[in-house]
Every structure is written in structure tokens, then in C-alpha cells.
Amino acid sequence: MLTLPIDEPAMMCEPRFGANYPRETLPEDLARDIGRRDSMHEDMSNSDMREDDLLEDEDLSLGEEDEDEREEDEPDANGIAKTRGPRRKKPSKGRHERVKVRRQEANARERSRMHGLNAALESLRKVVPCYSKTQKLSKIETLRLAKNYIWALSETLSAGKRPDLLAFVQTLCKGLSQPTTNLVAGCLQLNARNFLTDHNGDVMFSARPPPYDSMYPYPGSEASAPPGHSSSGGGTADSAKPFRHYNYGGAAYDAGYYENASPEGGSPHLDGPLSPPMNFNGIFSLKHHDDASEYSKSSPYGMRYCGAPGRAALGQNSMYRGGGPEARFPYDLHLRGQPYQPQAEMHGAFHN
DNA sequence: TAGGCCATCTGGTCCT
DNA sequence: AGGACCAGATGGCCTA
């Protein structure tokens, strides 16, 4: 046989994770993954090795010395030595090995890069609403939700007044898939059917969230509506329609609070020197709570945003405390010279 | 079984 | 030359 063993350590492992990617310095999961990949690499490399076989056939016909710099003219189809034009260098075995090693190193770098990207994405998952280890948001949904979250929080600051809960959640769910929308709604103990879409795909309000209404009824609301049964609140035919995700193009916002453009329309206008409110929403403080298990334990949805320890979900600072529809958000803004703790408040509202 | 999601490989491009 | 980044291709896994 002309081929080398494809699982030859010197061929497959040593160059691949040599100077640049020592296996022992890799993250644990990456090293494990690489180990798995190495074990899988036999069949994965088969195509390469078939190609390698052909190349090595040529190489063997050329001999062992490096032929990269050979100057002899190769005869053309008529047997006449070509003296002009670009000469096609046959890859020598040494050159081919170097190419292969570089390719393997590039693959390892690319894997590492993608793992870093995924790690960053995972950290992003932890600071947007509805983090769950068991039901992870997809990459695209994580990015969309993060964008909506930033936008909604920015709106909260720029508006300078209490936002409407449903409008906030609707903003969060803009453009998200239905499962993700349901997830967000579930995190906040909302029923997704409460923000319905009309036949144009625009989100419409049909009812207040029954769980909150039943616990903290608004004046005149149907306090007897059973929690979790949204259709009983609205009672309309629309309320029975399956929830569809937000339509980006024609978003129907709560006119009172989200009167600006959609998240797709760019950052909301801010009067301050910085466009987005920086370091506002407790995201950074969340870094101290990387262990989401403690949150998920107490959550009926297995998520950390429902009933975090040490915080009364529906207590004094709850967004659902009494009052009218304007009093449904958990915090007051103290914009001028007053102590202002929006981080903790927003954290409590959406990271409980 | 189709579709969604994901990890990985791979070749190209750009930059240092 | 080599690394970072990107996008296309591919195959595996999972779910409706």
C-alpha cells in the first residue's frame, strides 16, 4: 500500500495540536471535543486520504526529495519540453504534508474560534430574559432577543416613565419564533395568547394577563378569570387564534409607551450624550449569578426569571403590584439628583 | 420524513 | 507566510 496510516499519531495529532494548540491548554470541552473529533477523524479523513493517496502516488514517483524548487521543464503532451508559461509544480510529499498540517491547524483554530463564539453566545443567553440550561434559545433567537431587550431597556430609560408590561414583553418578543415567544411569556408568567396578532400579523392586545389580573385585579377586571386561561379574559374570537410571532414590518405598539419605531428601526432616541443607556439594567450584576441553577430551582418553568431567591416576585416592588394599568411596572424613575436603582429593579422585573 | 439547528471542514479573502 | 474571519457545504441530531 502507498498510503500512510491515517491515524498515525505523528500525522494526525502532533502537528495539529502542536505549538499553537497544545491539547492540555485547551478548554476542557474543547479538548474533549477534539478528542472525540480525533476518534471520529478516521472516516472523516477518508476523503482527504483518498485524495492523499493520489497525491502520494505522484509524490512517490517523484522521489523523496522536496520538489518544490525543481526547475526541470516538464514535457507536454507531445513530449516536447515546455520552456515558457507557468509551470505547474507537482506537490511534493513534504509540501503536501505541510499543507495538510496547516489545514489541520486551521481547522483547530476555527473550531476554537467557533467555541469562543459559542461561549460568548452562551454568556449572552444568561443575561437576556429566559435563560434556561435545559431549554436553550437558539443562536439566532438569542441574538434577536438580546437586541429586543437592549432596545426595550433603552426605551424604558428614554421614556422616563413606567413602561407597560405587555408592551415591554411584546418588544422583547418582536421577531422571535413562537416557541421563543412562549418561552419569554412563560418566564414572565404571561400567557402568550394575551398578545395576539391580527390577520395582518400585527400584535394586538386582547386582554390583560389573567394571572396578574386574578392576583392583582385592576378595577373592573374579571378577577375570577382562572390563571393561565387567557381566552377567558378576552373572550373574543381573536383570543382563540393561535399566537403568531411579531411581524417586524407593521408593529402595533402600545401607544402610550412604545411609540417610537421598532427595534428594527435603530436605537431609540436618547437625549443623553450616549445613545444607549450604558450599564443600566443589571446585566453586569448578573455576571455574579452565573450559576443559573439556583434560579431555575425555584422556577415553575425551570428558568431563573421567575421567583429568584431573596426577591418577592409579586411583592412591594413587583411590577404587578396594585394600581391601575399605569402602575404595572416595578420601578419609579428618579432622574434628577435622586437615588436611582434601576439596575436592581429591572433585574427584579425581568430576571426573576 | 422534512425541517431546523448545530458543529465542523474547507477554501477564499483580508490583514499584519 | 500565517492568522482571523467569513460563508458555503456537509452530515448528525432532534422534533413535529
Side-chain angles (χ1 to χ4, degrees):
Chain A
M1 292 293 289
L2 300 175
T3 57
L4 293 171
I6 57 177
D7 54 350
E8 178 69 27
M11 291 287 294
M12 303 304 296
C13 297
E14 184 70 21
R16 185 175 176 182
F17 305 105
N20 292 335
Y21 295 93
R23 192 183 299 252
E24 56 272 18
T25 65
L26 293 172
E28 184 178 345
D29 59 334
L30 178 58
R32 181 176 62 249
D33 181 69
I34 287 172
R36 181 174 57 87
R37 298 292 305 181
D38 284 348
S39 65
M40 294 170 54
H41 211 271
E42 282 194 27
D43 63 290
M44 199 178 70
S45 302
N46 280 344
S47 58
D48 292 341
M49 293 310 294
R50 282 192 293 273
E51 183 182 0
D52 295 346
D53 292 347
L54 297 177
L55 294 172
E56 285 169 5
D57 284 345
E58 293 184 53
D59 292 341
L60 287 179
S61 68
L62 294 172
E64 285 296 321
E65 68 277 15
D66 193 329
E67 297 290 339
D68 284 355
E69 308 302 327
R70 64 197 167 101
E71 296 294 333
E72 300 87 355
D73 291 328
E74 299 172 7
D76 61 10
N78 298 325
I80 303 172
K82 290 186 289 188
T83 57
R84 298 184 187 278
R87 281 191 292 265
R88 177 179 172 273
K89 293 179 181 178
K90 286 186 176 180
S92 70
K93 185 172 183 176
R95 181 183 180 85
H96 172 66
E97 289 302 321
R98 284 196 298 273
V99 169
K100 193 164 71 174
V101 166
R102 279 215 309 273
R103 185 65 261 172
Q104 290 167 348
E105 290 174 347
N107 290 346
R109 282 194 302 271
E110 178 66 9
R111 278 198 303 273
S112 177
R113 192 182 70 86
M114 294 308 298
H115 288 170
L117 193 61
N118 289 338
L121 203 56
E122 181 62 26
S123 66
L124 182 61
R125 281 191 185 101
K126 293 179 180 178
V127 297
V128 298
C130 295
Y131 172 74
S132 169
K133 279 185 175 178
T134 57
Q135 190 175 355
K136 282 171 55 177
L137 293 174
S138 69
K139 293 180 176 180
I140 184 67
E141 294 290 89
T142 300
L143 293 176
R144 284 171 177 158
L145 181 57
K147 179 204 69 178
N148 292 348
Y149 192 35
I150 292 170
W151 191 88
L153 293 175
S154 300
E155 273 297 286
T156 299
L157 270 192
S158 62
K161 60 180 181 180
R162 291 169 176 161
D164 180 86
L165 169 64
L166 280 184
F168 198 100
V169 176
Q170 283 183 348
T171 305
L172 287 182
C173 296
K174 243 178 169 308
L176 302 182
S177 66
Q178 180 176 340
T180 307
T181 299
N182 293 337
L183 192 62
V184 173
C187 283
L188 297 171
Q189 298 181 354
L190 287 170
N191 191 315
R193 290 179 183 171
N194 283 304
F195 33 113
L196 299 170
T197 56
D198 63 11
H199 59 279
N200 292 323
D202 295 340
V203 172
M204 306 288 288
F205 287 109
S206 69
R208 297 187 186 97
Y212 310 136
D213 285 351
S214 60
M215 288 183 287
Y216 300 88
Y218 301 115
S221 68
E222 305 93 321
S224 60
H229 291 72
S230 64
S231 59
S232 64
T236 65
D238 280 347
S239 65
K241 288 161 59 178
F243 177 76
R244 286 183 289 137
H245 69 74
Y246 224 89
N247 185 325
Y248 262 29
Y253 276 84
D254 176 73
Y257 178 65
Y258 289 97
E259 55 192 8
N260 290 347
S262 74
E264 285 300 282
S267 300
H269 171 71
L270 296 172
D271 292 329
L274 297 176
S275 42
M278 304 301 291
N279 196 9
F280 153 69
N281 65 343
I283 283 176
F284 305 114
S285 65
L286 283 174
K287 299 286 187 183
H288 303 299
H289 302 291
D290 277 346
D291 183 9
S293 61
E294 65 177 274
Y295 294 91
S296 57
K297 283 176 188 172
S298 58
S299 167
Y301 298 92
M303 296 157 197
R304 80 190 222 195
Y305 296 94
C306 307
R311 175 175 283 275
L314 297 174
Q316 183 70 22
N317 289 331
S318 167
M319 67 177 76
Y320 314 121
R321 68 174 183 257
E326 291 301 314
R328 274 187 275 170
F329 211 69
Y331 55 88
D332 296 317
L333 294 176
H334 305 276
L335 294 179
R336 297 185 185 280
Q338 301 180 36
Y340 178 38
Q341 302 294 334
Q343 289 93 340
E345 297 291 357
M346 189 64 83
H347 186 167
F350 292 97
H351 290 222
N352 257 350

